[in-house]
């Protein structure tokens, strides 16, 4: 099967993605890749509003249009309503010993803050990179220990995936994550509530997905992100793919030129104003038509 062979190939790539040359003694656990699983991220309490295919990058696509929920009670976010040109750039599945430092250089040169949803076993292998993230103002966030679908695990499995990763991030940089992203966006309202209540983390999905894990093409990544970004967007990308990291300087420069301001996910959530959803939304800045791409990360 083409799908199976692609998935198997991805396992090999992901296992190699975060390794450093000198730390091979760490016991390895199989990482489940971003493969061809078709999974639409659910958005907790907002799942009753299906996302229209042509408006994936809009707040409406994130499910906010029909039933705005007050910020304080929300357990998950795919995008935010903001009163300004704010967006959050997020990078998953690292850190990568080779690629993440290059990305951090590009961010630093432009004074841009991002959020890193990290896999615990990669954190264990690259603690210096995690420390650098914090030193340079980025947000460190939890993306499980080895990337399983949390919805398929029992409470003990979820606890190990989340607690071990937050502990490892804290050990690396002294900061405990307050946001997490479930692998594949696989979650539900019950799991979201437990993650909020028991682990003190908001669940963060995304509203712009360039499918960079699937299409390893920097031009495509660039076009997808720059055309779909809107105020309040949470943009998904992966700092374990060379094509993604290669696209980022242009992505950043174009979005900066359009007037966007980059904030961390927690900063974006703090700006969320659900009452804006009740108004007829006026675009607060010019933007191109959203790109139509399936959400299956
Ligand atoms: Ni991931």
């Amino acid at each position: 099967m083409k799908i199976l062979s692609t998935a198997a190939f991805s396992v090999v790539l992901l296992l190699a993605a975060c390794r450093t040359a000198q730390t091979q003694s760490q016991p390895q656990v199989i990482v489940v890749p971003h493969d061809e699983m078709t999974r639409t991220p659910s958005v907790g309490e907002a799942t009753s509003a299906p996302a229209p295919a042509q408006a994936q990058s809009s707040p409406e696509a994130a499910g906010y249009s029909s039933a705005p929920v007050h910020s304080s009670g929300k357990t998950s976010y795919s995008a935010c309503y903001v009163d300004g040109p704010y967006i959050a750039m997020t990078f998953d599945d690292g850190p990568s010993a080779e690629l993440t430092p290059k990305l951090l250089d590009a961010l630093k040169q432009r004074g841009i803050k991002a959020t890193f949803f990290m896999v615990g076993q990669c954190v264990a292998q690259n603690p210096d990179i995690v420390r650098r993230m914090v030193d340079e103002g980025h947000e460190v966030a939890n993306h499980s220990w080895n990337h399983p679908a949390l919805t398929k695990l029992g409470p003990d499995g979820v606890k190990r995936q989340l607690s071990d990763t937050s502990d490892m991030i804290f050990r690396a940089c002294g900061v405990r994550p307050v946001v997490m992203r479930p692998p594949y966006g696989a979650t539900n309202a019950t799991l979201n509530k437990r993650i909020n209540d028991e682990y003190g983390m908001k669940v963060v999905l995304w509203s712009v997905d360039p499918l960079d894990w699937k299409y390893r093409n920097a031009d495509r990544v660039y076009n997808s992100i720059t055309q779909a970004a809107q105020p309040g967007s949470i943009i998904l990308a992966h700092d374990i793919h060379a094509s993604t990291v290669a696209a980022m300087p242009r992505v950043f420069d174009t979005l900066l030129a359009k007037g966007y301001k980059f904030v961390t996910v927690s900063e974006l959530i703090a700006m969320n104003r659900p009452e804006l959803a009740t108004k007829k939304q006026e675009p607060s800045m010019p933007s191109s038509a959203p790109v139509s791409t399936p959400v299956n990360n």
Side-chain angles (χ1 to χ4, degrees), residues 26 53-54 69-70 92 101 158 171 175 188 193 220 235 277 289-290:
Q26 193 75 21
Q54 292 297 320
V69 182
H70 195 272
D92 288 15
V158 170
R171 204 187 305 172
V175 176
N188 54 52
K193 185 171 189 317
R220 184 179 173 126
I235 301 168

Side-chain angles (χ1 to χ4, degrees), residues 215-277:
Y215 303 109
R216 307 291 178 84
N217 179 298
D219 287 339
R220 184 179 173 126
V221 171
Y222 169 82
N223 288 329
S224 295
I225 293 176
T226 54
Q227 290 174 27
Q230 297 185 355
S233 289
I234 297 174
I235 301 168
L236 171 67
H238 298 82
D239 55 328
I240 57 168
H241 301 313
S243 45
T244 300
V245 173
M248 284 304 132
R250 278 189 293 154
V251 169
F252 299 153
D253 289 342
T254 295
L255 293 177
L256 287 169
K258 286 185 174 186
Y260 283 106
K261 296 183 190 308
F262 291 83
V263 296
T264 65
V265 162
S266 286
E267 288 170 340
L268 194 72
I269 289 173
M271 292 176 192
N272 190 39
R273 292 179 56 196
E275 68 273 16
L276 293 175

